[in-house]
Amino acid sequence: MPVTGPTAIVSGLRRATRETVSGLPREFWWLWTSTLVNRLGAFVATFMALYLTMDRGYSASYAGLVVSLHGLGGVVSSLVAGVMTDRLGRRPTMLIAQTSTAGSVALLGFMHDPLAIAGVAFLVGMTSNASRPAVQAMMADIVRPEDRVRAFSLNYWAINLGFAISSAGAGFVAEYSYLAGFLGEALLTFACAVVVFLKLPESRPVRVKSAVQTSVVTDVGMGAVLRDGRFMSVVGLSFLVSLIFMQGYVALPVAMGTDGFTSADYGLAIAVNGVLIVVMQIPVTRFIEHRDPRRLLILSSLLAGYGFGLTAFADSIAVYALTVCVWSMAEIVNAPTQTGLVVRLSPVHGRGRYQGMYTLSWAASALVAPLVGGFVIDRFGAEWLWGTCAVLGTVAGVGYWLLMRGLGEEKGEGEGEDGVVAGVEERVEVEPVSPVSPVVPSAISPSPGD
Protein backbone atom coordinates (compact mmCIF):
# COMPACT_ATOMS: atom_id res chain seq x y z
CA MET A 1 0.00 0.00 0.00
CA PRO A 2 1.56 3.34 -1.02
CA VAL A 3 2.57 5.75 1.71
CA THR A 4 0.72 9.08 1.63
CA GLY A 5 0.58 12.24 3.69
CA PRO A 6 3.49 13.94 5.50
CA THR A 7 5.59 10.76 5.49
CA ALA A 8 5.47 10.58 1.70
CA ILE A 9 6.36 14.26 1.40
CA VAL A 10 9.35 13.89 3.72
CA SER A 11 10.44 10.76 1.86
CA GLY A 12 10.13 12.55 -1.46
CA LEU A 13 12.15 15.52 -0.24
CA ARG A 14 14.89 13.21 1.04
CA ARG A 15 15.01 11.36 -2.28
CA ALA A 16 15.10 14.62 -4.24
CA THR A 17 17.90 16.01 -2.08
CA ARG A 18 19.91 12.78 -2.35
CA GLU A 19 19.57 12.73 -6.14
CA THR A 20 20.57 16.42 -6.35
CA VAL A 21 23.79 16.05 -4.38
CA SER A 22 24.83 12.56 -5.46
CA GLY A 23 27.42 11.73 -8.10
CA LEU A 24 29.49 14.90 -7.75
CA PRO A 25 33.22 14.49 -7.08
CA ARG A 26 34.77 14.92 -3.66
CA GLU A 27 36.80 17.86 -4.87
CA PHE A 28 33.61 19.71 -5.85
CA TRP A 29 32.37 19.52 -2.28
CA TRP A 30 35.62 20.96 -0.94
CA LEU A 31 35.24 23.78 -3.45
CA TRP A 32 31.61 24.17 -2.36
CA THR A 33 32.71 24.29 1.29
CA SER A 34 35.26 26.96 0.47
CA THR A 35 32.54 29.04 -1.23
CA LEU A 36 30.20 28.68 1.74
CA VAL A 37 32.88 29.66 4.26
CA ASN A 38 33.86 32.63 2.12
CA ARG A 39 30.28 33.93 1.93
CA LEU A 40 29.82 33.47 5.67
CA GLY A 41 32.38 36.23 6.05
CA ALA A 42 30.80 38.68 3.59
CA PHE A 43 31.03 41.73 5.85
CA VAL A 44 32.74 44.47 3.85
CA ALA A 45 30.43 44.45 0.82
CA THR A 46 27.34 44.45 3.07
CA PHE A 47 28.29 47.05 5.67
CA MET A 48 30.81 49.30 3.90
CA ALA A 49 28.41 52.24 3.50
CA LEU A 50 27.10 51.96 7.05
CA TYR A 51 30.62 51.64 8.43
CA LEU A 52 31.80 54.82 6.70
CA THR A 53 28.75 56.92 7.56
CA MET A 54 27.73 55.62 10.99
CA ASP A 55 31.06 54.59 12.51
CA ARG A 56 33.54 56.91 10.78
CA GLY A 57 31.21 59.86 10.29
CA TYR A 58 31.89 60.42 6.58
CA SER A 59 29.28 61.78 4.18
CA ALA A 60 27.00 59.66 2.06
CA SER A 61 28.75 60.99 -1.06
CA TYR A 62 32.13 59.81 0.19
CA ALA A 63 30.66 56.43 1.14
CA GLY A 64 29.20 56.10 -2.36
CA LEU A 65 32.58 56.91 -3.89
CA VAL A 66 34.33 54.26 -1.80
CA VAL A 67 31.69 51.64 -2.64
CA SER A 68 32.11 52.51 -6.34
CA LEU A 69 35.88 52.13 -6.04
CA HIS A 70 35.32 48.73 -4.45
CA GLY A 71 33.22 47.78 -7.48
CA LEU A 72 35.80 49.22 -9.88
CA GLY A 73 38.41 46.97 -8.31
CA GLY A 74 36.22 43.99 -9.19
CA VAL A 75 35.97 45.17 -12.80
CA VAL A 76 39.74 45.47 -13.12
CA SER A 77 40.49 42.13 -11.51
CA SER A 78 37.99 40.12 -13.58
CA LEU A 79 40.16 40.07 -16.70
CA VAL A 80 43.48 39.85 -14.85
CA ALA A 81 42.24 36.92 -12.75
CA GLY A 82 40.96 35.17 -15.89
CA VAL A 83 44.42 35.31 -17.45
CA MET A 84 46.03 34.14 -14.20
CA THR A 85 43.60 31.22 -14.04
CA ASP A 86 44.72 29.97 -17.44
CA ARG A 87 48.45 30.73 -17.06
CA LEU A 88 49.21 30.05 -13.40
CA GLY A 89 46.40 27.59 -12.75
CA ARG A 90 43.16 27.53 -10.80
CA ARG A 91 44.65 26.63 -7.43
CA PRO A 92 47.45 29.26 -7.37
CA THR A 93 45.01 31.97 -8.47
CA MET A 94 42.59 31.10 -5.69
CA LEU A 95 45.37 31.00 -3.11
CA ILE A 96 46.75 34.38 -4.20
CA ALA A 97 43.28 35.95 -4.32
CA GLN A 98 42.09 34.61 -0.97
CA THR A 99 45.23 35.34 1.02
CA SER A 100 45.41 38.82 -0.51
CA THR A 101 41.74 39.38 0.34
CA ALA A 102 42.31 38.31 3.94
CA GLY A 103 45.23 40.73 4.29
CA SER A 104 43.55 43.70 2.59
CA VAL A 105 40.26 43.28 4.50
CA ALA A 106 42.12 43.20 7.82
CA LEU A 107 44.13 46.26 6.74
CA LEU A 108 40.96 48.16 5.81
CA GLY A 109 39.69 47.86 9.37
CA PHE A 110 42.68 49.84 10.65
CA MET A 111 42.57 52.63 8.04
CA HIS A 112 41.51 56.14 9.16
CA ASP A 113 42.71 58.51 6.44
CA PRO A 114 40.05 59.05 3.70
CA LEU A 115 42.52 58.47 0.87
CA ALA A 116 43.89 55.35 2.54
CA ILE A 117 40.39 53.96 3.05
CA ALA A 118 39.51 54.58 -0.60
CA GLY A 119 42.74 52.99 -1.84
CA VAL A 120 42.44 49.90 0.33
CA ALA A 121 38.74 49.52 -0.57
CA PHE A 122 39.75 49.44 -4.23
CA LEU A 123 42.34 46.76 -3.36
CA VAL A 124 39.73 44.73 -1.48
CA GLY A 125 37.44 44.92 -4.51
CA MET A 126 40.23 43.61 -6.73
CA THR A 127 41.33 40.75 -4.50
CA SER A 128 37.86 39.60 -3.41
CA ASN A 129 36.65 39.32 -7.00
CA ALA A 130 39.80 37.63 -8.33
CA SER A 131 38.96 34.11 -7.21
CA ARG A 132 35.65 33.86 -9.09
CA PRO A 133 37.00 32.95 -12.57
CA ALA A 134 39.27 30.34 -10.97
CA VAL A 135 36.45 28.80 -8.93
CA GLN A 136 34.14 28.58 -11.93
CA ALA A 137 36.88 27.21 -14.19
CA MET A 138 37.87 24.56 -11.64
CA MET A 139 34.25 23.55 -11.26
CA ALA A 140 34.00 23.11 -15.02
CA ASP A 141 37.21 21.04 -14.96
CA ILE A 142 36.23 18.57 -12.25
CA VAL A 143 32.50 18.11 -12.92
CA ARG A 144 31.15 16.06 -15.82
CA PRO A 145 29.39 18.13 -18.52
CA GLU A 146 26.00 16.57 -17.78
CA ASP A 147 26.31 17.54 -14.08
CA ARG A 148 27.55 21.11 -14.50
CA VAL A 149 24.23 22.95 -14.28
CA ARG A 150 23.50 21.06 -11.07
CA ALA A 151 26.97 21.85 -9.70
CA PHE A 152 26.75 25.56 -10.55
CA SER A 153 23.30 25.66 -9.00
CA LEU A 154 24.52 24.09 -5.76
CA ASN A 155 27.43 26.52 -5.67
CA TYR A 156 25.03 29.44 -6.16
CA TRP A 157 22.91 28.03 -3.33
CA ALA A 158 25.98 28.00 -1.08
CA ILE A 159 26.69 31.64 -1.97
CA ASN A 160 23.20 32.73 -0.96
CA LEU A 161 23.01 30.50 2.11
CA GLY A 162 26.30 31.90 3.38
CA PHE A 163 25.24 35.46 2.59
CA ALA A 164 21.89 35.05 4.35
CA ILE A 165 23.57 33.74 7.50
CA SER A 166 26.35 36.33 7.42
CA SER A 167 23.96 39.25 6.88
CA ALA A 168 22.07 38.41 10.06
CA GLY A 169 25.15 37.58 12.13
CA ALA A 170 27.26 40.45 10.87
CA GLY A 171 24.59 42.93 11.91
CA PHE A 172 25.06 41.92 15.53
CA VAL A 173 28.86 41.98 15.12
CA ALA A 174 28.68 45.50 13.69
CA GLU A 175 26.77 46.70 16.76
CA TYR A 176 29.63 45.45 18.90
CA SER A 177 32.61 46.38 16.72
CA TYR A 178 33.08 47.02 13.01
CA LEU A 179 36.74 46.10 13.41
CA ALA A 180 35.68 42.67 14.67
CA GLY A 181 33.65 42.29 11.49
CA PHE A 182 36.63 43.12 9.27
CA LEU A 183 38.90 40.75 11.18
CA GLY A 184 36.24 38.03 11.14
CA GLU A 185 35.94 38.23 7.36
CA ALA A 186 39.72 38.16 7.04
CA LEU A 187 39.91 35.05 9.21
CA LEU A 188 37.19 33.20 7.29
CA THR A 189 38.73 34.14 3.94
CA PHE A 190 42.08 32.84 5.12
CA ALA A 191 40.31 29.64 6.18
CA CYS A 192 39.12 29.30 2.56
CA ALA A 193 42.74 29.52 1.41
CA VAL A 194 43.67 26.78 3.88
CA VAL A 195 40.92 24.54 2.50
CA VAL A 196 42.14 25.16 -1.06
CA PHE A 197 45.76 24.48 -0.08
CA LEU A 198 45.04 21.25 1.78
CA LYS A 199 42.17 19.72 -0.17
CA LEU A 200 42.12 20.96 -3.76
CA PRO A 201 44.68 19.80 -6.33
CA GLU A 202 45.27 21.76 -9.51
CA SER A 203 42.73 20.90 -12.21
CA ARG A 204 43.95 22.97 -15.17
CA PRO A 205 43.89 20.81 -18.33
CA VAL A 206 47.15 20.53 -20.27
CA ARG A 207 47.53 19.66 -23.92
CA VAL A 208 49.12 16.42 -24.99
CA LYS A 209 49.62 16.12 -28.75
CA SER A 210 48.54 12.93 -30.43
CA ALA A 211 50.77 11.03 -32.84
CA VAL A 212 49.18 12.81 -35.82
CA GLN A 213 49.43 16.27 -34.30
CA THR A 214 52.58 18.09 -35.35
CA SER A 215 51.86 21.74 -34.63
CA VAL A 216 51.95 23.31 -31.22
CA VAL A 217 48.61 24.79 -30.19
CA THR A 218 48.95 28.06 -28.31
CA ASP A 219 46.84 29.21 -25.40
CA VAL A 220 43.66 31.17 -26.00
CA GLY A 221 44.45 34.90 -25.74
CA MET A 222 42.14 37.75 -24.77
CA GLY A 223 42.02 38.77 -28.42
CA ALA A 224 40.42 35.43 -29.28
CA VAL A 225 37.88 35.92 -26.50
CA LEU A 226 36.95 39.38 -27.79
CA ARG A 227 36.62 38.05 -31.36
CA ASP A 228 34.26 35.28 -30.24
CA GLY A 229 31.05 36.94 -31.36
CA ARG A 230 28.61 34.48 -29.87
CA PHE A 231 30.32 34.47 -26.48
CA MET A 232 30.66 38.26 -26.35
CA SER A 233 26.96 38.46 -27.16
CA VAL A 234 26.32 36.27 -24.13
CA VAL A 235 28.45 38.66 -22.05
CA GLY A 236 26.40 41.59 -23.33
CA LEU A 237 23.11 39.86 -22.55
CA SER A 238 24.45 38.89 -19.13
CA PHE A 239 25.22 42.56 -18.51
CA LEU A 240 21.63 43.53 -19.38
CA VAL A 241 20.14 40.87 -17.10
CA SER A 242 22.48 41.66 -14.22
CA LEU A 243 21.70 45.37 -14.67
CA ILE A 244 18.07 44.44 -13.99
CA PHE A 245 18.85 42.31 -10.95
CA MET A 246 21.06 45.00 -9.42
CA GLN A 247 18.09 47.37 -9.19
CA GLY A 248 16.78 45.23 -6.35
CA TYR A 249 19.66 46.48 -4.19
CA VAL A 250 20.12 49.93 -5.74
CA ALA A 251 16.82 51.42 -6.89
CA LEU A 252 14.28 49.36 -4.92
CA PRO A 253 15.21 50.79 -1.48
CA VAL A 254 15.20 54.32 -2.92
CA ALA A 255 11.79 53.82 -4.53
CA MET A 256 10.31 52.28 -1.38
CA GLY A 257 11.69 55.16 0.69
CA THR A 258 10.11 57.67 -1.71
CA ASP A 259 6.77 55.88 -1.26
CA GLY A 260 7.03 56.28 2.51
CA PHE A 261 8.28 52.84 3.48
CA THR A 262 11.03 52.41 6.08
CA SER A 263 14.38 50.65 5.80
CA ALA A 264 12.89 47.83 7.91
CA ASP A 265 10.12 47.46 5.32
CA TYR A 266 12.71 47.19 2.56
CA GLY A 267 14.67 44.66 4.61
CA LEU A 268 11.54 42.54 4.99
CA ALA A 269 10.79 42.67 1.26
CA ILE A 270 14.33 41.93 0.10
CA ALA A 271 14.71 39.11 2.64
CA VAL A 272 12.24 37.19 0.46
CA ASN A 273 14.97 36.99 -2.19
CA GLY A 274 17.46 35.19 0.05
CA VAL A 275 14.87 32.92 1.65
CA LEU A 276 13.40 31.92 -1.71
CA ILE A 277 16.81 31.10 -3.19
CA VAL A 278 17.81 28.99 -0.17
CA VAL A 279 14.48 27.12 -0.17
CA MET A 280 13.86 26.77 -3.91
CA GLN A 281 17.32 26.43 -5.49
CA ILE A 282 17.60 22.66 -5.07
CA PRO A 283 14.07 21.70 -6.25
CA VAL A 284 14.27 24.16 -9.16
CA THR A 285 17.65 22.69 -10.10
CA ARG A 286 16.03 19.26 -10.50
CA PHE A 287 13.47 20.83 -12.80
CA ILE A 288 15.90 22.73 -15.05
CA GLU A 289 18.92 20.41 -15.05
CA HIS A 290 18.27 18.70 -18.38
CA ARG A 291 16.00 21.25 -20.04
CA ASP A 292 16.70 23.45 -23.05
CA PRO A 293 19.00 26.28 -21.85
CA ARG A 294 17.67 28.64 -24.51
CA ARG A 295 14.12 28.41 -23.17
CA LEU A 296 15.37 28.76 -19.60
CA LEU A 297 17.38 31.90 -20.39
CA ILE A 298 14.51 33.45 -22.33
CA LEU A 299 12.11 32.66 -19.49
CA SER A 300 14.44 33.99 -16.79
CA SER A 301 15.07 37.21 -18.75
CA LEU A 302 11.35 37.85 -19.11
CA LEU A 303 10.67 37.01 -15.46
CA ALA A 304 13.43 39.38 -14.36
CA GLY A 305 12.24 42.24 -16.56
CA TYR A 306 8.54 41.94 -15.84
CA GLY A 307 9.11 41.07 -12.19
CA PHE A 308 10.69 44.49 -11.75
CA GLY A 309 8.12 45.97 -14.13
CA LEU A 310 5.35 44.92 -11.73
CA THR A 311 7.02 47.04 -9.05
CA ALA A 312 5.43 50.09 -10.68
CA PHE A 313 2.09 48.85 -9.33
CA ALA A 314 3.31 48.03 -5.80
CA ASP A 315 1.58 49.91 -2.99
CA SER A 316 2.17 47.64 0.00
CA ILE A 317 4.90 45.48 1.48
CA ALA A 318 3.00 42.36 0.38
CA VAL A 319 2.96 43.48 -3.26
CA TYR A 320 6.63 44.48 -3.12
CA ALA A 321 7.42 41.04 -1.69
CA LEU A 322 5.42 39.43 -4.50
CA THR A 323 7.45 41.25 -7.14
CA VAL A 324 10.64 40.12 -5.38
CA CYS A 325 9.37 36.54 -5.62
CA VAL A 326 8.97 36.86 -9.39
CA TRP A 327 12.46 38.18 -10.14
CA SER A 328 14.03 35.88 -7.54
CA MET A 329 12.72 32.88 -9.48
CA ALA A 330 14.36 34.40 -12.54
CA GLU A 331 17.63 34.63 -10.62
CA ILE A 332 17.39 31.01 -9.48
CA VAL A 333 16.98 29.82 -13.07
CA ASN A 334 19.35 32.25 -14.76
CA ALA A 335 22.52 31.96 -12.65
CA PRO A 336 23.37 28.23 -13.10
CA THR A 337 22.01 28.07 -16.66
CA GLN A 338 24.01 31.04 -17.87
CA THR A 339 27.21 29.87 -16.15
CA GLY A 340 26.75 26.48 -17.80
CA LEU A 341 26.34 28.18 -21.17
CA VAL A 342 29.59 30.11 -20.64
CA VAL A 343 31.43 26.83 -20.00
CA ARG A 344 29.83 25.29 -23.08
CA LEU A 345 31.09 28.14 -25.25
CA SER A 346 34.57 28.22 -23.69
CA PRO A 347 37.56 26.35 -25.16
CA VAL A 348 39.04 24.07 -22.52
CA HIS A 349 42.31 26.00 -22.37
CA GLY A 350 40.59 29.37 -22.27
CA ARG A 351 38.13 28.75 -19.47
CA GLY A 352 39.82 31.19 -17.12
CA ARG A 353 39.77 34.07 -19.61
CA TYR A 354 36.20 33.31 -20.66
CA GLN A 355 35.03 33.14 -17.05
CA GLY A 356 36.90 36.36 -16.32
CA MET A 357 35.10 38.15 -19.14
CA TYR A 358 31.77 36.73 -17.96
CA THR A 359 32.50 37.90 -14.39
CA LEU A 360 33.28 41.32 -15.82
CA SER A 361 29.67 41.65 -17.02
CA TRP A 362 28.41 41.39 -13.44
CA ALA A 363 31.12 43.62 -11.99
CA ALA A 364 30.41 46.28 -14.62
CA SER A 365 26.69 46.17 -13.90
CA ALA A 366 27.43 46.79 -10.22
CA LEU A 367 29.10 50.04 -11.31
CA VAL A 368 26.54 51.12 -13.90
CA ALA A 369 23.32 50.12 -12.10
CA PRO A 370 23.50 52.83 -9.39
CA LEU A 371 24.16 55.52 -12.01
CA VAL A 372 21.35 54.38 -14.32
CA GLY A 373 18.86 53.76 -11.54
CA GLY A 374 19.50 57.08 -9.83
CA PHE A 375 19.41 59.05 -13.08
CA VAL A 376 16.10 57.57 -14.26
CA ILE A 377 14.43 57.97 -10.86
CA ASP A 378 15.58 61.59 -10.49
CA ARG A 379 14.69 62.62 -14.04
CA PHE A 380 11.57 60.60 -14.83
CA GLY A 381 10.42 58.76 -11.70
CA ALA A 382 10.61 55.17 -10.45
CA GLU A 383 7.77 53.98 -12.71
CA TRP A 384 9.91 54.73 -15.76
CA LEU A 385 12.78 52.72 -14.29
CA TRP A 386 10.55 49.68 -13.73
CA GLY A 387 9.22 50.02 -17.27
CA THR A 388 12.80 50.20 -18.56
CA CYS A 389 13.56 46.96 -16.69
CA ALA A 390 10.66 45.27 -18.49
CA VAL A 391 12.02 46.49 -21.83
CA LEU A 392 15.56 45.30 -21.02
CA GLY A 393 14.20 41.89 -19.99
CA THR A 394 12.35 41.61 -23.30
CA VAL A 395 15.44 42.65 -25.26
CA ALA A 396 17.54 40.06 -23.40
CA GLY A 397 14.94 37.34 -24.02
CA VAL A 398 14.87 38.08 -27.75
CA GLY A 399 18.67 38.22 -27.74
CA TYR A 400 18.97 34.75 -26.23
CA TRP A 401 16.41 33.41 -28.71
CA LEU A 402 18.40 34.75 -31.67
CA LEU A 403 21.81 33.88 -30.24
CA MET A 404 21.17 30.25 -29.36
CA ARG A 405 19.35 29.11 -32.47
CA GLY A 406 21.13 25.97 -33.67
CA LEU A 407 23.60 25.95 -30.78
CA GLY A 408 22.89 22.28 -30.09
CA GLU A 409 23.75 21.34 -33.67
CA GLU A 410 26.70 23.67 -34.22
CA LYS A 411 30.23 23.51 -32.88
CA GLY A 412 32.55 26.44 -32.50
CA GLU A 413 35.13 26.88 -35.18
CA GLY A 414 37.87 24.34 -34.64
CA GLU A 415 36.14 22.87 -31.62
CA GLY A 416 34.72 19.51 -30.79
CA GLU A 417 32.31 18.60 -28.05
CA ASP A 418 32.70 20.72 -24.95
CA GLY A 419 35.05 23.13 -26.64
CA VAL A 420 37.94 20.70 -27.19
CA VAL A 421 40.03 21.63 -30.21
CA ALA A 422 39.82 18.98 -32.88
CA GLY A 423 42.94 16.93 -33.55
CA VAL A 424 44.35 17.37 -30.07
CA GLU A 425 44.14 14.71 -27.43
CA GLU A 426 43.09 16.31 -24.13
CA ARG A 427 44.56 15.06 -20.90
CA VAL A 428 44.47 16.60 -17.44
CA GLU A 429 47.54 16.56 -15.28
CA VAL A 430 46.69 17.26 -11.66
CA GLU A 431 49.38 18.47 -9.38
CA PRO A 432 49.46 16.19 -6.34
CA VAL A 433 48.89 18.06 -3.12
CA SER A 434 49.23 16.19 0.11
CA PRO A 435 47.11 14.68 1.50
CA VAL A 436 45.03 14.49 -1.70
CA SER A 437 45.99 12.05 -4.42
CA PRO A 438 46.21 13.14 -8.06
CA VAL A 439 42.85 13.59 -9.73
CA VAL A 440 41.71 13.35 -13.33
CA PRO A 441 38.65 15.60 -13.66
CA SER A 442 36.89 13.43 -16.23
CA ALA A 443 37.05 10.39 -14.00
CA ILE A 444 36.97 11.56 -10.39
CA SER A 445 35.42 9.02 -8.12
CA PRO A 446 32.52 10.28 -6.01
CA SER A 447 33.03 10.77 -2.34
CA PRO A 448 31.77 8.14 0.07
CA GLY A 449 28.06 8.36 0.57
CA ASP A 450 27.36 10.08 -2.73
Side-chain angles (χ1 to χ4, degrees), residues 60-77:
S61 298
Y62 173 77
L65 173 63
V66 173
V67 172
S68 295
L69 286 172
H70 181 273
L72 180 62
V75 171
V76 173
S77 69

Side-chain angles (χ1 to χ4, degrees), residues 39-283:
R39 296 306 294 172
L40 286 172
F43 183 85
V44 171
T46 308
F47 290 93
M48 175 74 80
L50 285 176
Y51 165 69
L52 293 174
T53 55
M54 302 296 293
D55 190 69
R56 294 297 186 188
Y58 291 111
S59 67
S61 298
Y62 173 77
L65 173 63
V66 173
V67 172
S68 295
L69 286 172
H70 181 273
L72 180 62
V75 171
V76 173
S77 69
S78 296
L79 299 180
V80 175
V83 175
M84 289 174 60
T85 297
D86 284 336
R87 289 190 175 182
L88 297 181
R90 285 65 160 135
R91 183 173 178 267
T93 301
M94 282 189 280
L95 288 173
I96 292 171
Q98 290 168 353
T99 53
S100 300
T101 300
S104 58
V105 166
L107 181 63
L108 182 61
F110 293 98
M111 293 295 101
H112 297 278
D113 181 76
L115 289 177
I117 291 174
V120 177
F122 175 77
L123 181 62
V124 171
M126 285 189 62
T127 56
S128 62
N129 197 62
S131 63
R132 293 179 184 177
V135 169
Q136 293 168 341
M138 177 175 279
M139 206 167 294
D141 294 338
I142 65 179
V143 176
R144 295 176 301 180
E146 61 269 26
D147 293 330
R148 282 176 185 156
V149 169
R150 179 159 56 104
F152 287 129
S153 183
L154 286 169
N155 191 64
Y156 190 68
W157 183 73
I159 290 172
N160 284 277
L161 177 62
F163 182 76
I165 296 173
S166 71
S167 296
F172 292 104
V173 173
E175 289 185 3
Y176 168 72
S177 169
Y178 278 95
L179 178 59
F182 285 111
L183 295 179
E185 177 170 348
L187 183 62
L188 286 171
T189 306
F190 184 75
C192 292
V194 172
V195 170
V196 171
F197 180 76
L198 294 177
K199 297 296 183 179
L200 288 174
E202 177 57 58
S203 67
R204 179 180 57 168
V206 295
R207 295 188 185 277
V208 176
K209 292 188 295 183
S210 65
V212 299
Q213 183 71 22
T214 57
S215 62
V216 177
V217 183
T218 59
D219 288 336
V220 177
M222 286 305 303
V225 178
L226 295 172
R227 290 191 298 270
D228 189 335
R230 173 170 271 171
F231 172 75
M232 290 305 298
S233 297
V234 170
V235 171
L237 293 173
S238 171
F239 173 76
L240 289 182
V241 173
S242 59
L243 199 62
I244 297 172
F245 285 134
M246 288 294 175
Q247 300 307 324
Y249 310 97
V250 173
L252 184 60
V254 175
M256 290 184 68
T258 303
D259 289 342
F261 292 96
T262 67
S263 57
D265 294 332
Y266 167 72
L268 185 62
I270 200 64
V272 173
N273 173 256
V275 171
L276 200 63
I277 290 175
V278 170
V279 172
M280 296 298 296
Q281 188 72 63
I282 290 179

Side-chain angles (χ1 to χ4, degrees), residues 339-350:
T339 307
L341 175 62
V342 170
V343 174
R344 185 176 179 182
L345 295 176
S346 306
V348 172
H349 294 275

